[in-house]
Each structure stands twice: as C-alpha cells, then as structure tokens.
Amino acid sequence: MTPAEEVSLGCRVLAAHGNGDLIWGHLSRRDGDGVWLKSAGYGMEEITPGRVVRIDRSGRLLEGRGRVHLEYPIHTEIMAARPDVGAVVHSHAEAVVAFAATGLPLRPVGHEGVLFWPPGIARFTLTGDLIRDRELGAAVAAALGDRNALLLHRHGLVTAGPDVPTAVLTAIFLEKACRMQLAVAAAGAGLDSSDEAEALAKRDRCYGPAQMEAAWDYLVRTLPEHG
C-alpha cells in the first residue's frame, strides 16, 4: 500500500468512527523528509489517494495537486520533534471538544481510558484558534511531549503513533473515552475508574500489538463504501 493509500484509508476510518467534521480535520504519514497529508477542501470520508498531498516542513507542496491544510504545522512540527512518530491525526471529535471544556481529568472509566491515564492526558490551552504557523505547531508538539494524545482546548484532538493504524485507533479510542466519561457525568453518578495498577495491566492486555492489529483489520473490513 502506498503512503497516499494509507492516509486515504485512515481518513475514511476516522470519518466512520466519530472523527469527521465536514471538510475539517486531517491525517498525516511521515515519508522521509516529507509528510503525506489529507488535502484541504474535502471531508475525511471523501479522501482517495489522489486527494492526498506530500509536503515539506514549510508546507511546500512536493507531490500531488490538492490544497494544503492551514494547520499542517500540527503534523510537521510534531514529526520534527518526535522521530518515533510516523503518523498524526487532528480532528474535531465533538465528545473530545466537550470533555476538554469541562477541565476534568480524563480517567479510565472503561478500557479505552487506560491508553490515556496514567499519566494524565496532555492539554494545549495556549489558544483555541487554528494552529496556523510553525511557532504554534512547535508549542503543540511541546505540550504533547512524549505522549500519544493531546486535548486542544476549544478545538479538538491530536493523536500520534508510529504508524497510521495506531494514530487512527488512538483517536477513535480517545473519542470513546471522552464520550463515556461525559455520559457518567450526565447521569450524576460518582466516577468509578480503574486504579493505576489495573489501568496499566489493561493497557497491556487490551492494546498490545496483536490486539491493535486485529482491531485495525476489523475497522478496515467493516468500512462503509463511499461514492
């Protein structure tokens, strides 16, 4: 599978699982000194390999004919700071935006939350505006640190992984973890969550490489076809 095909597939999976937002949001994949990125102007569910572009760190178009997202520095600056990161997701998942606005710590109410605690999930509060330049992109990368996910307050989420499947699955699990905790809060009940020992044990058992690969294969097998 080519890098453009991987990004295309990942975008469609994201759209099918709570991370679509009209034409906004994007997924990237590292490729040498460049980054393959979803083209601007299309919904994630519309992305084909021909709607993926390759750019350099300055946002200059290297391959492809699409428009480059204004927020490309989220991707390029994280990858510049993190050699271990091969793919980045930025979406406006509604449950994540709503949860971040509560200011509450994200806890492992269910399985998904163990991917993000301990330690506490990273948060970016410098601005809720678009990450439109390299300085802001570098600030996002610094806030993310060595973790797998970040809440952009008043904005959305960022997830990072060694490859497209991991970054995409992490975004899907983060959306679900936030949605689940919001549901508990709405019920007015006390919050029952895993302690640190249980959370770390569940992280290994539920989200090891074999389980993640099987989950990704399932999402691809069940992906709705789009026009």
Side-chain angles (χ1 to χ4, degrees), residues 47-138:
I47 298 303
T48 62
R51 291 172 176 170
V52 179
V53 296
R54 185 169 178 261
I55 62 171
D56 64 13
R57 188 175 178 182
S58 68
R60 182 171 61 96
L61 191 64
L62 301 176
E63 295 184 53
R65 297 182 179 179
R67 292 190 293 115
V68 178
H69 274 283
L70 179 65
E71 292 191 300
Y72 76 85
I74 292 174
H75 305 266
T76 53
E77 293 306 308
I78 288 174
M79 290 187 188
R82 294 271 303 274
D84 61 308
V85 169
V88 173
V89 172
H90 168 52
S91 86
H92 304 147
E94 292 180 15
V96 176
V97 177
F99 178 80
T102 71
L104 294 170
L106 183 62
R107 297 299 299 271
V109 173
H111 294 341
E112 298 78 12
V114 305
L115 282 170
F116 311 106
W117 184 92
I121 191 167
R123 295 177 184 261
F124 182 77
T125 59
L126 181 63
T127 180
D129 202 348
L130 300 183
I131 308 303
R132 59 196 181 275
D133 57 40
R134 288 178 61 174
E135 182 178 5
L136 283 169

Side-chain angles (χ1 to χ4, degrees), residues 141-162:
L144 177 65
D146 62 358
R147 283 174 277 189
N148 63 348
L150 171 79
L151 302 180
L152 293 167
H153 282 236
R154 307 181 302 283
H155 190 162
L157 66 79
V158 173
T159 62

